[in-house]
């Protein structure tokens, strides 16, 4: 006699309930990450002394729907050379953060759309940013003298920042791959504004003072 074992009704109901729960959890994660914020880990020293390797920051994504980014704010973004696929699986990974390998940077907004921009090198080897003819006060940078010297192929100015774009720079100007090397950042590449550094607890502080 042949005996056939069939899944019980309770098993089927449990499986359906589990799938539904997983679906709503993933949907909830996507909604939080896209509309509210996410946590990011700092992998390099390009934002020293503001952020150092291993710091954790909260990146909020709410303000981008209601106000324009401002000079001096710290933002996470996809650099213009990073190809972002909108196919279902890559898009799912990007929206959930699961298995996502898309490259994201964290830098400070220095040049705003329409700004006349110049990196000036003085005779005493001090570097400064000139915006619309005036020197930008930058108390957040690591060192006025520790800069990567401007050379052919780098964007050091003078130039005008295009509309809808930003000029991004790290606070550690001597060790930062930023807009000087890969150009202007389109607004649609911005992910979110880093507002609070919450780990380690000895370094908890608010970010994004505007200058």
């Amino acid at each position: 006699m042949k005996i056939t074992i069939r899944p019980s009704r309770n098993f089927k109901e449990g499986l359906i309930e589990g799938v539904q729960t997983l679906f709503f959890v993933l949907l909830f994660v996507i909604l939080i990450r896209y509309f509210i914020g996410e946590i990011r880990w700092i992998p390099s020293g390009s934002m020293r002394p503001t952020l150092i390797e291993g710091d954790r920051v909260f990146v909020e994504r709410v303000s981008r729907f209601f106000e324009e980014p401002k000079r001096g704010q710290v933002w996470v973004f996809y650099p213009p050379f990073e190809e972002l696929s909108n196919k279902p699986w890559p898009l799912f990974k990007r929206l959930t953060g699961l298995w996502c390998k898309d490259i994201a940077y964290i830098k400070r907004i220095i040049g705003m759309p329409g700004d006349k921009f110049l990196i000036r090198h003085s005779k005493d080897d001090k570097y400064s940013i000139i915006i619309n003819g005036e020197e930008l006060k930058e108390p957040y940078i690591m060192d006025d003298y520790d800069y990567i010297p401007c050379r052919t192929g780098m964007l050091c100015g003078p130039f005008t920042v295009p509309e809808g774009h930003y000029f991004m720079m790290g606070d550690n100007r001597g060790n930062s791959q930023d807009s000087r090397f890969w150009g202007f950042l389109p607004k649609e590449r911005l992910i979110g504004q880093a507002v609070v550094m919450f780990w380690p607890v000895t370094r908890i502080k608010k970010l994004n003072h505007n200058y």
Side-chain angles (χ1 to χ4, degrees):
M1 182 176 63
K2 184 179 180 180
I3 300 176
T4 302
I5 301 177
R6 297 180 178 177
S8 67
R9 186 173 181 179
N10 288 338
F11 174 80
K12 289 181 179 179
E13 291 176 350
L15 180 61
I16 292 172
E17 184 178 340
V19 171
Q20 290 175 337
T21 300
L22 178 60
F23 171 79
F24 284 110
V25 167
L26 291 175
L27 179 62
F28 190 59
V29 168
I30 290 173
L31 291 175
I32 289 177
R33 282 176 57 87
Y34 188 79
F35 291 104
I36 299 177
E38 58 182 287
I39 292 171
R40 291 274 177 166
W41 171 73
I42 306 302
S44 73
S46 68
M47 282 296 292
R48 281 178 171 265
T50 307
L51 298 169
I52 64 176
E53 300 88 333
D55 284 349
R56 268 70 169 177
V57 297
F58 176 72
V59 180
E60 65 89 7
R61 306 189 71 173
V62 178
S63 62
R64 63 197 175 102
F65 296 108
F66 305 102
E67 58 185 41
E68 293 295 316
K70 297 179 177 61
R71 190 189 328 278
Q73 293 178 339
V74 178
W75 281 75
V76 174
F77 58 91
Y78 296 117
F81 58 79
E82 177 70 1
E83 295 184 7
L84 302 176
S85 173
N86 287 321
K87 293 181 179 179
W89 182 237
L91 183 60
F92 170 81
K93 292 192 292 184
R94 189 158 64 249
L95 289 175
T96 61
L98 301 173
W99 311 291
C100 182
K101 295 183 179 180
D102 293 331
I103 295 175
Y105 282 4
I106 182 168
K107 308 290 181 188
R108 193 181 297 273
I109 294 178
I110 302 300
M112 298 288 292
D115 277 347
K116 294 180 180 178
F117 186 100
L118 172 67
I119 296 177
R120 185 174 62 190
H121 181 205
S122 64
K123 293 181 179 179
D124 63 351
D125 282 337
K126 178 182 178 182
Y127 287 83
S128 56
I129 303 295
I130 308 301
I131 301 288
N132 301 322
E134 297 185 4
E135 182 176 343
L136 181 66
K137 304 302 180 183
E138 298 190 281
Y140 43 78
I141 67 173
M142 189 163 183
D143 194 333
D144 290 325
Y145 297 89
D146 185 14
Y147 254 74
I148 300 172
C150 293
R151 56 181 182 268
T152 302
M154 290 177 62
L155 277 178
C156 294
F159 55 75
T160 299
V161 181
E163 290 300 322
H165 292 72
Y166 300 91
F167 197 86
M168 314 295 292
M169 298 185 76
D171 292 353
N172 185 1
R173 302 288 163 79
N175 183 26
S176 176
Q177 291 292 317
D178 49 38
S179 285
R180 291 172 292 176
F181 298 93
W182 41 256
F184 306 109
L185 179 72
K187 181 180 178 181
E188 59 269 19
R189 286 272 172 155
L190 293 171
I191 297 174
Q193 182 185 173
V195 290
V196 175
M197 203 272 284
F198 67 90
W199 187 265
V201 294
T202 54
R203 284 175 43 78
I204 291 177
K205 61 182 176 182
K206 182 179 178 181
L207 303 174
N208 281 340
H209 301 291
N210 300 329
Y211 295 91

